[in-house]
Amino acid sequence: MNYKALLLTIAPLFAFASNAQEAKQIEKKAFPAEIINRITTYESISKDEISSLEDGVIRWGDSNYIGALINKSQNECRIYTYSREGDIAALSLYPDCKFIDGVKLSHARKKEMPDIIFKMSLSSGNISGPVEHYVVAVFDDQKGKYCESQSIAAWYQIGILSNIPETFDISCPAFTNKNRVELKLNDPHNPSTIVACKDDQCAPVSLPQLLINDIKDGYSELSIDYITSSSHPELVATNAVEGSINRCSVVYQYNENSGTLSRLEIKPGPICNYKKYQDYLVSSYRDGAKWFEDIYKISQGGINIELSDSCVGCEQVSRIFHKDGSKLLVSDAANFMERKPLTSEVTVERAPLYSSPEEKARTKMYLIKNDKVTLLDYSASDSDECWYLTRYKTATEKNIEKWLKCEYLKTKK
């Protein structure tokens, strides 16, 4: 019997909170005064001209907002989004309009982050009278923010909540921050062409010796990207070795006060073939025949590693949580957020527990048939004998973590 081919039942819990954490933080909240001040300055209108829609503003995550404002003098309905970095974007603006009720949250599409629904009455250009109109903001996982979808809005307005449409028409507004400094690069292979621009005024950027050394070491392909923030661009230097599948990069942040670049501390680093998912940066690389991923949490202009997944693309993925060094086996999925804990159950009448994956480490403890366990780690010997580190929760909620032989657990038919 091939005990390595273990039937791994997927547990109903997410192995990583991600969107669920953001969803728990969603609440109805008025725009703070400082955001109202930013919006009125951004739009060059008086604070007396606008008012927040009662029960019409949502705060989600770490101080991100989306909500409705009414321009009283123009009878306009305005919907704005505001990022925690201080950036503002106008999602929608409708003249001769009034909002109907407050903002609504919906999980009809069964997504982690709810859809946000604004309902309004439009009068402009309608001879037969006001018409009802929906604006729906849906969460874009890749961009980590709410964007507008007209197809989902029409789906809600029709009221037939079946045959969920694809959200190909997502429109994400461009954030605007009039105080933002932009980095620009005229030649991706010439660092002397990097300039910092503000209010249409550009100046050369001083290059640190560390960057010059990195370029000499092969990190010579330069680009501008938003790694740690949606509002502050950073310089990315990539080591693009011909024939190598791993494109690894180091990141430099611009300091407006000094006019210089400094390398972002990334441990273990560097980041390879990176992608952003909301507030996370995923570094993906191949070592030998296996793929590995390091997942970093982005916060306050920096990044810190939270977990590492090894053997991505295998039947089971080994996950390490760096905060406490704990391990967990999770299912395979392209997106790390969708990998879930793996469980199995005992198939023999009495399964002895071991303190380590070897015969001499047998303890006096045991599990019985049909006991369910969470799989934490895997070990195989040269003799084709395999073991699983398991976690068993007792009736008193106590966790027991011991090794079990694969032959004691449910296997594939």
Side-chain angles (χ1 to χ4, degrees):
M1 181 180 294
N2 181 10
Y3 292 114
K4 292 182 179 179
L6 196 70
L7 177 61
L8 304 174
T9 307
I10 297 177
L13 300 176
F14 283 102
F16 201 71
S18 61
N19 284 7
Q21 291 179 337
E22 298 277 20
K24 289 178 182 177
Q25 297 177 42
I26 286 184
E27 59 180 338
K28 292 186 178 181
K29 201 89 171 178
F31 275 130
E34 60 268 24
I35 296 181
I36 295 294
N37 291 337
R38 290 289 310 280
I39 291 174
T40 54
T41 301
Y42 169 70
E43 296 286 12
S44 299
I45 56 178
S46 168
K47 280 186 264 186
D48 295 332
E49 292 183 52
I50 65 171
S51 63
S52 294
L53 174 67
E54 185 178 355
D55 207 25
V57 180
I58 297 294
R59 184 177 74 179
W60 59 275
D62 183 14
S63 300
N64 299 285
Y65 287 82
I66 180 169
L69 289 176
I70 303 166
N71 186 326
K72 294 178 286 187
S73 63
Q74 302 293 327
N75 291 325
E76 290 177 336
C77 296
R78 296 168 176 252
I79 301 173
Y80 290 93
T81 61
Y82 180 88
S83 76
R84 62 174 167 266
E85 289 88 5
D87 293 338
I88 299 167
L91 189 71
S92 297
L93 189 156
Y94 291 90
D96 297 323
C97 164
K98 68 176 182 179
F99 287 103
I100 303 173
D101 303 324
V103 65
K104 306 293 184 185
L105 301 177
S106 173
H107 285 279
R109 295 193 305 124
K110 298 179 175 59
K111 301 292 184 180
E112 289 283 351
M113 298 291 281
D115 297 333
I116 300 176
I117 305 170
F118 299 90
K119 186 177 177 182
M120 57 191 70
S121 175
L122 304 181
S123 300
S124 178
N126 298 304
I127 300 176
S128 59
V131 297
E132 191 174 274
H133 182 74
Y134 282 50
V135 172
V136 176
V138 300
F139 194 80
D140 188 308
D141 287 326
Q142 294 289 335
K143 294 183 173 63
K145 62 182 178 180
Y146 273 99
C147 306
E148 184 179 4
S149 172
Q150 294 184 3
S151 62
I152 297 298
W155 180 69
Y156 276 110
Q157 190 161 358
I158 292 171
I160 305 175
L161 302 185
S162 60
N163 299 322
I164 300 174
E166 297 290 345
T167 52
F168 294 126
D169 67 335
I170 286 180
S171 174
C172 294
F175 279 123
T176 300
N177 187 331
K178 293 185 178 180
N179 296 316
R180 175 189 293 175
V181 174
E182 295 284 356
L183 284 181
K184 295 184 179 180
L185 177 65
N186 295 320
D187 183 344
H189 297 285
N190 185 355
S192 65
T193 63
I194 304 170
V195 294
C197 302
K198 183 177 181 180
D199 298 328
D200 298 325
Q201 299 294 318
C202 297
V205 174
S206 177
L207 303 180
Q209 187 61 45
L210 186 58
L211 173 59
I212 295 173
N213 293 341
D214 281 338
I215 292 173
K216 290 180 179 178
D217 289 340
Y219 291 87
S220 56
E221 186 176 300
L222 306 178
S223 61
I224 304 297
D225 202 352
Y226 295 83
I227 303 295
T228 64
S229 166
S230 63
S231 59
H232 302 291
E234 291 147 325
L235 177 70
V236 180
T238 299
N239 190 342
V241 179
E242 186 175 354
S244 174
I245 198 168
N246 295 326
R247 290 173 52 86
C248 299
S249 307
V250 292
V251 180
Y252 282 80
Q253 296 178 314
Y254 178 70
N255 186 307
E256 185 178 356
N257 294 326
S258 63
T260 60
L261 294 162
S262 59
R263 190 203 276 179
L264 177 65
E265 185 176 4
I266 303 175
K267 293 181 178 180
I271 54 174
C272 304
N273 308 307
Y274 71 88
K275 293 181 181 179
K276 283 187 70 174
Y277 294 93
Q278 301 174 44
D279 291 336
Y280 296 95
L281 183 79
V282 179
S283 172
S284 177
Y285 58 94
R286 191 174 73 183
D287 187 2
K290 295 181 181 179
W291 278 95
F292 299 80
E293 287 184 354
D294 292 328
I295 293 90
Y296 298 84
K297 173 71 172 179
I298 303 170
S299 62
Q300 299 179 343
I303 63 174
N304 297 290
I305 192 165
E306 287 210 346
L307 57 89
S308 296
D309 285 353
S310 61
C311 207
V312 175
C314 304
E315 183 178 346
Q316 60 188 25
V317 176
S318 180
R319 172 165 289 180
I320 297 176
F321 296 88
H322 288 276
K323 184 177 182 179
D324 58 7
S326 61
K327 296 182 178 181
L328 182 68
L329 294 181
V330 295
S331 61
D332 184 48
N335 187 333
F336 80 96
M337 296 179 180
E338 297 175 359
R339 295 171 195 154
K340 305 173 185 179
L342 298 179
T343 67
S344 190
E345 64 181 65
V346 175
T347 58
V348 296
E349 297 300 326
R350 191 176 177 127
L353 297 174
Y354 296 77
S355 57
S356 62
E358 51 187 345
E359 192 63 45
K360 65 181 181 180
R362 179 170 175 165
T363 72
K364 295 181 179 180
M365 293 185 287
Y366 61 89
L367 298 180
I368 62 175
K369 190 173 184 177
N370 298 326
D371 279 345
K372 292 178 172 53
V373 293
T374 300
L375 305 180
L376 307 179
D377 202 1
Y378 174 83
S379 178
S381 66
D382 294 337
S383 61
D384 203 32
E385 185 175 53
C386 68
W387 305 74
Y388 276 97
L389 178 61
T390 63
R391 178 189 295 133
Y392 174 73
K393 181 171 287 189
T394 68
T396 59
E397 299 296 311
K398 178 183 177 181
N399 286 326
I400 298 175
E401 295 187 3
K402 296 293 180 183
W403 290 86
L404 273 171
K405 291 184 179 180
C406 295
E407 62 193 81
Y408 300 149
L409 296 170
K410 180 177 287 188
T411 56
K412 288 182 177 179
K413 302 292 185 183

